Amino acid sequence: MNAKELIDKLYETSNLTDEELRFLLQADASIDEYLFERADCRRKEIYGNDVYLRGLIEISNYCKNNCYYCGIRCGNNKLERYRMDKETILECCKQGYALGYRTFVLQGGEDPYFTDEYICEIVGEIHATYPDCAITLSLGEKEKESYQAYFEAGARRYLLRHETAGEEHYGKLHPENLSLAHRKQCLFDLKEIGYQVGTGMMVGSPYQTVDDLIEDFRFMQELDPEMIGIGPYLTHLDTPFASFENGSMELTLRLIALLRLMFPYALIPATTALGTIHPTGREQGLKAGANVVMPNVSPTDFRKLYSLYENKICTGDEASHCRGCLEARVRSAGYEIVCAVGDSAKEKFRA
Ligand code: SAM
């Protein structure tokens, strides 16, 4: 089969063999126009022109982990650390709510200061104040009981990228105390509890191979996530990977399109990392199949300090500016921002 036939097969069956996926992953740029067109068509069948907003609150840049790629790793002693208190987080939600956001994403490093009790208190208060909003957590690997407690407090979504499904590759990106098996277990625990689960990987991270990407697809087929977040790997100079090159926008866009066709119902963000690697990266991400954007609602003083990688965008802008800027970008790509909770359409369509 040629590339066009393979894309048609993927559109019809949402699956391909490893060899067929390898072919599409390695093909030259001539396949992208048709691939993106098919992915956009699939996205429109399910989500129309809608783009959902997630108000991102980066609650802490303390982290007990030492992932080799990440700027907020505990071993980076050049970074000024911060954590928000409950009042600041609630103030971010207030601002976000006024701007039309109906999902709040609380993301941070694995910071033991945020005990389960404190997380539940914060989640409970957001839930009580904004019962019409979804609360998403992205606070790393926890015990199942902790995830259960957050769920009972009102959280309904959890983002935990698996980072790479290749066992050997995982070992090259992380210190020995972290394991792919545990990260996967966390994702299955979250599913079992009833969370809408998001996973994903960095594109072009050091040592990543095409086979790793195929393993990523296979793992995600097993997990069946509601959300898939991918973005290019971007180098941070104060990490052991300082000398590695950034991942590419082109491969990230191709993966977004392949993911849209393999996981038609997935909520796929056009990420900040994609906007960082290219001025119109997020717009191009939307045209390749993404349907979510994540405006930052953290106080501007903290944004630069949540420094996962170099040159992160939107660090100086007020929340209201981000809202206007994103709306214009989404429109320019041909889509419409909607102020809705924006659940995955999976259940609705399967029913
Ligand atoms: N601690 C939580 C966790 O482990 O999921 C959430 C915070 S973590 C910093 C959020 C995501 O940032 C990671 O899942 C990773 O994919 C991404 N990230 C970290 N360093 C990055 C880099 N150098 N380039 C691109 N993405 C990066």
Side-chain angles (χ1 to χ4, degrees):
M1 281 196 217
N2 62 30
K4 183 173 179 297
E5 287 165 342
L6 286 179
I7 294 165
D8 287 337
K9 180 180 169 193
L10 185 57
Y11 181 84
E12 278 154 31
T13 66
S14 298
N15 205 5
L16 291 177
T17 65
D18 287 2
E19 288 63 39
E20 290 167 338
L21 283 170
R22 187 171 294 113
F23 180 86
L24 290 183
L25 285 168
Q26 291 179 322
D28 66 31
S30 63
I31 74 163
D32 287 327
E33 192 181 341
Y34 187 62
L35 176 65
F36 296 171
E37 189 262 299
R38 289 287 80 196
D40 189 49
C41 179
R42 177 52 30 98
R43 160 258 173 63
K44 283 186 173 144
E45 284 164 10
I46 294 171
Y47 289 104
N49 277 338
D50 293 356
V51 172
Y52 299 114
L53 296 163
R54 314 307 195 197
L56 179 63
I57 308 170
E58 295 160 337
I59 67 169
S60 171
N61 73 352
Y62 284 88
C63 190
K64 66 180 168 68
N65 293 331
N66 214 13
C67 308
Y68 302 146
Y69 47 82
C70 184
I72 65 167
R73 63 201 299 272
C74 64
N76 179 8
N77 50 27
K78 289 196 187 157
L79 184 66
E80 184 189 331
R81 303 283 171 169
Y82 76 90
R83 55 172 69 96
M84 294 183 195
D85 56 19
K86 184 179 73 181
E87 288 64 38
T88 309
I89 295 170
L90 282 161
E91 182 54 38
C92 294
C93 294
K94 188 176 170 187
Q95 277 197 30
Y97 193 87
L99 292 168
Y101 305 159
R102 295 297 176 263
T103 294
F104 301 119
V105 182
L106 274 50
Q107 190 183 85
E110 290 193 22
D111 179 359
Y113 177 87
F114 284 90
T115 59
D116 288 349
E117 290 68 32
Y118 195 33
I119 293 172
C120 287
E121 193 184 319
I122 295 166
V123 169
E125 217 159 307
I126 300 173
H127 185 53
T129 316
Y130 305 102
D132 53 335
C133 293
I135 302 168
T136 305
L137 297 178
S138 179
L139 301 172
E141 297 177 38
K142 308 277 179 183
E143 295 307 313
K144 189 172 182 190
E145 301 72 56
S146 306
Y147 290 143
Q148 183 72 50
Y150 311 154
F151 190 84
E152 277 155 27
R156 285 293 174 273
R157 302 178 185 157
Y158 205 100
L159 305 179
L160 184 76
R161 288 183 176 180
H162 62 281
E163 311 297 1
T164 174
E167 191 75 58
E168 213 184 303
H169 186 214
Y170 196 91
K172 289 182 177 163
L173 300 183
H174 300 96
E176 260 177 29
N177 67 317
L178 296 175
S179 80
L180 177 59
H182 188 258
R183 202 145 176 106
K184 284 182 172 177
Q185 188 54 51
C186 287
L187 285 161
F188 288 114
D189 287 346
L190 288 160
K191 272 241 132 172
E192 213 172 286
I193 291 167
Y195 279 95
Q196 295 173 39
V197 171
T199 197
M201 64 280 182
M202 289 172 291
V203 180
S205 58
Y207 310 109
Q208 186 177 60
T209 63
V210 171
D211 285 344
D212 292 323
L213 292 173
I214 293 169
E215 282 208 54
D216 288 325
F217 287 134
R218 298 304 176 212
F219 168 66
M220 289 191 278
Q221 285 178 320
E222 189 190 342
L223 179 70
D224 193 22
E226 280 73 27
M227 303 166 281
I228 301 177
I230 67 165
Y233 159 75
L234 297 169
T235 296
H236 192 294
L237 296 177
D238 299 319
T239 66
F241 287 163
S243 62
F244 281 88
E245 285 189 5
N246 289 342
S248 85
M249 177 177 74
E250 289 71 21
L251 183 56
T252 307
L253 296 174
R254 186 171 296 180
L255 283 163
I256 287 176
L258 291 172
L259 288 167
R260 171 58 65 209
L261 293 174
M262 287 182 91
F263 303 89
Y265 306 105
L267 292 154
I268 302 179
T271 56
T272 307
L274 197 49
T276 299
I277 203 168
H278 191 279
T280 61
R282 286 171 295 179
E283 291 88 321
Q284 295 187 62
L286 293 171
K287 289 183 185 172
N291 62 336
V292 170
V293 288
M294 300 179 72
N296 202 318
V297 281
S298 308
T300 42
D301 290 352
F302 294 142
R303 297 215 200 147
K304 263 201 180 68
L305 302 177
Y306 197 78
S307 135
L308 310 181
Y309 44 76
E310 302 293 326
N311 304 318
K312 184 183 159 201
I313 52 169
C314 311
T315 52
D317 302 331
E318 289 301 327
S320 56
H321 175 86
C322 285
R323 170 72 163 88
C325 166
L326 272 177
E327 179 143 18
R329 286 174 185 276
V330 168
R331 279 235 169 93
S332 78
Y335 305 96
E336 278 303 317
I337 274 180
V338 291
C339 292
V341 168
D343 280 322
S344 153
K346 192 157 70 180
E347 299 313 320
K348 196 176 89 188
F349 269 80
R350 283 192 182 157

